[in-house]
Amino acid sequence: MSTLVSPEGGIISGAKADPKSVDNDAAKKKRLGMLVDQRRCIGCQSCTIACKSENNVPLGYWRSWLKGVQKGSFPHVGSFFLRRLCNHCDVPPCVQVCPVQATVKREEDGVVIMYYGKCIGCGMCIAACPYDARFFNPIRRTADKCDFCVTRLDQGLQPACVTACLTGALVFGDLDDPGGRSLKAA
């Protein structure tokens, strides 16, 4: 049994794909994702600021953020920065629980997006997210989350956070083409 996802209808559980109906478009589909090299991150917050600016995120809220982590014991202590954002799950719980199908997984690239005009602000997707990557946007009065700057993606550009990263700690592209760079840097 496989799980099919449609932009209009969310997840259709338990549906089986007919192998005869699969065309060559399936070979062209991408699985977009982000690699975070924690060793390169210096905690400068450029990614967080770029995200807030690009997506008009209200003060006190974040679509993505850095969590500072200290490891070790004195005198051998190190500081590391853990980047937190939506993981764009293969089978996203937020899509499954949305009663109005305002959260969907794009079929062409696997990015989990929001249709803000459909969202009723019930918060079910926020509660269902196992990564705490969603929040209620008080300005928009809807749920909100990282969508890899989908408007930039649709123009063939990298997400704002990747473009802003000073150390190259963020790498974005097709997970099935790890050597390729299918999107422009700016």
Side-chain angles (χ1 to χ4, degrees):
M1 261 299 194
S2 63
T3 301
L4 299 178
V5 180
S6 71
E8 303 83 34
I11 287 188
I12 305 166
S13 298
K16 288 188 178 181
D18 179 10
K20 293 177 186 174
S21 68
V22 176
D23 57 25
N24 290 335
D25 288 340
K28 296 177 189 174
K29 290 182 183 176
K30 296 179 182 179
R31 275 189 328 128
L32 295 179
M34 185 177 298
L35 168 76
V36 181
D37 187 345
Q38 298 298 148
R39 298 167 300 175
R40 290 178 169 233
C41 181
I42 59 172
C44 69
Q45 302 283 345
S46 292
C47 56
T48 304
I49 295 165
C51 174
K52 287 181 78 68
S53 176
E54 179 74 25
N55 297 292
N56 298 313
V57 179
L59 289 175
Y61 298 90
W62 298 266
R63 283 178 156 209
S64 66
W65 65 99
L66 289 176
K67 179 180 179 180
V69 178
Q70 288 73 40
K71 291 183 91 178
S73 57
F74 184 79
H76 306 288
V77 179
S79 288
F80 305 92
F81 301 95
L82 178 62
R83 180 140 163 85
R84 305 290 311 272
L85 69 155
C86 176
N87 287 311
H88 299 272
C89 304
D90 285 335
V91 181
C94 57
V95 171
Q96 294 173 329
V97 301
C98 183
V100 294
Q101 299 169 340
T103 300
V104 298
K105 183 171 180 176
R106 292 194 336 174
E107 207 172 296
E108 66 269 19
D109 55 18
V111 176
V112 178
I113 63 168
M114 294 268 321
Y115 290 121
Y116 298 106
K118 285 184 165 185
C119 183
I120 58 174
C122 69
M124 289 178 67
C125 60
I126 296 169
C129 179
Y131 303 104
D132 250 353
R134 293 177 152 260
F135 67 95
F136 184 78
N137 186 322
I139 307 294
R140 205 181 252 149
R141 303 190 58 74
T142 65
D144 208 344
K145 63 176 276 312
C146 166
D147 61 7
F148 288 145
C149 297
V150 73
T151 53
R152 292 175 59 90
L153 293 182
D154 291 345
Q155 296 171 26
L157 300 172
Q158 294 276 330
C161 59
V162 175
T163 304
C165 184
L166 301 172
T167 61
L170 304 177
V171 178
F172 184 82
D174 187 349
L175 297 175
D176 294 324
D177 182 19
R181 299 278 178 144
S182 58
L183 300 171
K184 296 181 243 173

